[in-house]
Amino acid sequence: MKIFFIGIIVLMILFVGGFAVLIAFVIKKSTTPKTKEFIEDERNKMRQNVLQKRKKLAAHKTEMYREVTDAMTYNYTKAVTYAKISGFIYNENRKPVVAFERIERGMNTKGHLVAMTKKQTFLFEFTGLAATFYCDNALLGSFDTSGTIYDANQQAIGHAKHPIKASFHVDFFKRTHHRLGEGLFPLTLNGRKLATINVSPNYDDIAYDFTVSSVFDGLGFGTPIITLTDTPTKEEENWLLAFAIFETAFHGNWLIP
């Protein structure tokens, strides 16, 4: 009997030790900085995937930043060392207008997002809540964790501070979902309030089959992300579109909480 218990203890130690080694491996693998070659190869594959999705996008008749809503459908993949989401964002007429793919890894939510409309391509690099925006292979600018926006020359040109990222649900007779923080926030650029950004719902909190009809009819999503408060310049239109896409494709689903 004593030998039996010793055997059980040894097995438990081996199991716990093996599990600890596995956890250590995953943490090391996911937090080790990737080489430039690795990142560029990954982005090229993402671009090719999104290019295929782009063929399904509908043409738009108004300014593109007006078309983007909080309605999206997507596929989610959780691997050992990264998480990926790939899908479409829709306009109010339930037509796909943005195709995207996003990959992130590590404890500090480091990753990138490739998004395409019929005419433009965007790349977003992000770490936590700080991000850099590229439009058609040119640096558009960035914003830091305080919400300060910088142009391509690193000059501060505006502000957009996203509300707190926290949400929860309550189960009684039916499930209800709550998201802390304001439902919208201002975007200021070049010395004036340019627009209001509507906060995307957190899809990750919702146990739902995300088809187009379920997103619009079942959940009641489909609200435009951008509400203008001033007339934008051509460059500011790119900022508006970039923020609209980022709001839905990034803040709409938190791959790594």
Side-chain angles (χ1 to χ4, degrees):
M1 184 64 72
K2 183 178 180 180
I3 295 176
F4 173 77
F5 282 116
I6 291 175
I8 293 296
I9 292 172
V10 170
L11 287 175
M12 290 178 62
I13 292 173
L14 290 175
F15 175 79
V16 172
F19 187 72
V21 169
L22 176 62
I23 293 296
F25 170 78
V26 171
I27 292 175
K28 184 178 186 300
K29 190 76 173 177
S30 60
T31 56
T32 300
K34 303 302 180 183
T35 64
K36 291 182 179 180
E37 292 76 14
F38 178 92
I39 293 298
E40 189 54 38
D41 181 62
E42 187 170 71
R43 285 179 183 168
N44 285 334
K45 291 176 182 177
M46 293 169 70
R47 291 186 188 101
Q48 291 305 312
N49 292 339
V50 178
L51 271 173
Q52 291 301 311
K53 291 179 176 294
R54 186 186 227 173
K55 299 174 182 178
K56 300 181 180 180
L57 298 182
H60 59 276
K61 298 179 180 179
T62 61
E63 294 87 349
M64 190 60 209
Y65 61 84
R66 298 178 186 269
E67 297 276 312
V68 179
T69 74
D70 59 13
M72 67 173 172
T73 58
Y74 58 86
N75 294 313
Y76 173 74
T77 303
K78 180 70 173 180
V80 174
T81 59
Y82 71 92
K84 180 172 75 172
I85 181 174
S86 180
F88 296 97
I89 300 174
Y90 297 83
N91 63 15
E92 291 182 279
N93 295 320
R94 308 187 181 198
K95 302 296 184 181
V97 291
V98 178
F100 70 91
E101 185 163 296
R102 168 178 152 218
I103 291 178
E104 61 189 61
R105 51 177 56 86
M107 303 301 291
N108 56 357
T109 317
K110 184 178 179 64
H112 35 227
L113 163 67
V114 174
M116 296 182 186
T117 68
K118 271 292 190 183
K119 298 179 179 180
Q120 290 180 287
T121 298
F122 288 86
L123 169 66
F124 305 83
E125 298 174 340
F126 52 86
T127 300
L129 296 182
T132 302
F133 295 170
Y134 296 85
C135 177
D136 294 329
N137 297 316
L139 175 63
L140 182 61
S142 62
F143 66 90
D144 60 23
T145 55
S146 72
T148 301
I149 302 171
Y150 302 89
D151 65 14
N153 297 314
Q154 285 296 299
Q155 299 298 309
I157 59 171
H159 190 265
K161 178 64 174 175
H162 198 279
I164 184 173
K165 288 185 67 173
S167 61
F168 62 96
H169 67 261
V170 179
D171 290 312
F172 289 111
F173 295 104
K174 65 177 182 178
R175 174 168 294 188
T176 57
H177 301 272
H178 305 270
R179 186 166 187 167
L180 301 179
E182 298 296 325
L184 48 84
F185 60 104
L187 168 63
T188 62
L189 275 178
N190 301 314
R192 72 197 195 284
K193 181 180 176 181
L194 181 61
T196 296
I197 299 177
N198 294 302
V199 175
S200 176
N202 184 15
Y203 282 70
D204 193 44
D205 274 353
I206 305 167
Y208 219 86
D209 178 22
F210 296 120
T211 63
V212 177
S213 60
S214 69
V215 168
F216 280 89
D217 298 329
L219 296 173
F221 296 166
T223 301
I225 294 296
I226 299 296
T227 302
L228 282 181
T229 52
D230 205 338
T231 303
T233 64
K234 279 296 181 182
E235 182 178 5
E236 289 171 344
E237 288 185 358
N238 289 334
W239 277 106
L240 289 170
L241 180 52
F243 269 107
I245 293 171
F246 195 70
E247 180 60 35
T248 298
F250 180 79
H251 289 290
N253 189 291
W254 307 338
L255 301 188
I256 302 176

